[in-house]
Amino acid sequence: NIQRDTFVVTENYGRKQFFHIRNYESVEVEFHNELKENEDDDKSSMEIYWIGKENEEVLKGKTEYFNGRVRLETQTGHKFVAYNKDRSYRMEFFVTAPSGQSQLFEFQSNRILLTFKYLSLLPDKRVAHLFWVETIEGDKEKVHRHPVGSVTDGNAVELHSDSNHQFQAFHADENGNLERLLGTYTVTADRGGKQHFIIRDDNEEL
């Protein structure tokens, strides 16, 4: 399929105007630093790393203080992690946008730290696939599930989120199709707090 963008010139004669041409083979992610210097100088400058297949961390950029921005080209399903100077502050980000689209990530203070631990009762030790559930405003029937990670039996994954956000965990078949709902989890902790969830496989089929 041929992808086409339309650009409209709005500047007056003698002025310059710039257009951004999207790469339809990748996702453009933008990291926006909203951590102010007077909140904590050590946290206000963040380094951004891409996490590879072997969990290696590759430095991709750095946001300098409040309002700093970094743009990167990446792929759906990629994962990034950001640290402050002494690595005492850590945030993870999952790319869920499809190719040709963009996704914004923001560094904010006092988000809620979530822990999802998977305790399987099945002998084959399957993987739980975790999704953030987005309900389109004004349409409760229209729901989008964005993958945010997976966790094996006995292990846990940590995420940063906000109050009232909802997550779901599923089993999937060998082709990656969702086949079993393991649970729905709603964030109720206050901003800056922590909340722990246990994923089990004793719920009904999807």
Side-chain angles (χ1 to χ4, degrees), residues 2 32 58 77 79 90 99 107 121 135-136 140 169 173 186 190:
I2 298 176
H32 183 200
V58 181
K79 181 179 177 182
R90 184 179 190 273
S99 296
F107 302 143
L121 302 176
T135 301
I136 303 303
K140 293 184 178 180
D173 62 21
T186 302
D190 294 328

Side-chain angles (χ1 to χ4, degrees), residues 144-168:
H144 290 281
R145 293 186 179 95
H146 303 279
V148 295
S150 58
V151 56
T152 54
D153 177 46
N155 294 311
V157 62
E158 290 185 345
L159 303 170
H160 285 88
S161 188
D162 298 295
S163 185
N164 297 319
H165 277 194
Q166 192 174 79
F167 295 83
Q168 288 183 331

Side-chain angles (χ1 to χ4, degrees), residues 57-176:
E57 297 181 357
V58 181
L59 180 64
K60 289 294 184 179
K62 182 177 181 180
T63 62
E64 293 290 349
Y65 307 117
F66 181 61
N67 246 351
R69 295 173 183 267
V70 171
R71 286 183 178 177
L72 301 172
E73 296 285 340
T74 187
Q75 300 293 326
T76 305
H78 279 193
K79 181 179 177 182
F80 292 84
V81 62
Y83 297 98
N84 63 330
K85 293 178 182 178
D86 63 3
R87 293 201 166 212
S88 62
Y89 189 75
R90 184 179 190 273
M91 297 184 72
E92 291 187 359
F93 303 92
F94 295 88
V95 180
T96 59
S99 296
Q101 300 298 316
S102 59
Q103 188 167 358
L104 173 66
F105 296 118
E106 296 177 326
F107 302 143
Q108 298 176 333
S109 60
N110 297 323
R111 298 196 77 192
I112 301 169
L113 177 62
L114 307 179
T115 302
F116 291 87
K117 185 171 184 178
Y118 181 33
L119 298 178
S120 177
L121 302 176
L122 301 176
D124 56 354
K125 304 299 182 184
R126 301 182 68 177
V127 176
H129 300 277
L130 192 62
F131 294 79
W132 168 52
V133 180
E134 178 188 17
T135 301
I136 303 303
E137 187 174 352
D139 188 353
K140 293 184 178 180
E141 301 302 320
K142 194 170 184 179
V143 172
H144 290 281
R145 293 186 179 95
H146 303 279
V148 295
S150 58
V151 56
T152 54
D153 177 46
N155 294 311
V157 62
E158 290 185 345
L159 303 170
H160 285 88
S161 188
D162 298 295
S163 185
N164 297 319
H165 277 194
Q166 192 174 79
F167 295 83
Q168 288 183 331
F170 292 88
H171 278 160
D173 62 21
E174 59 184 11
N175 296 316

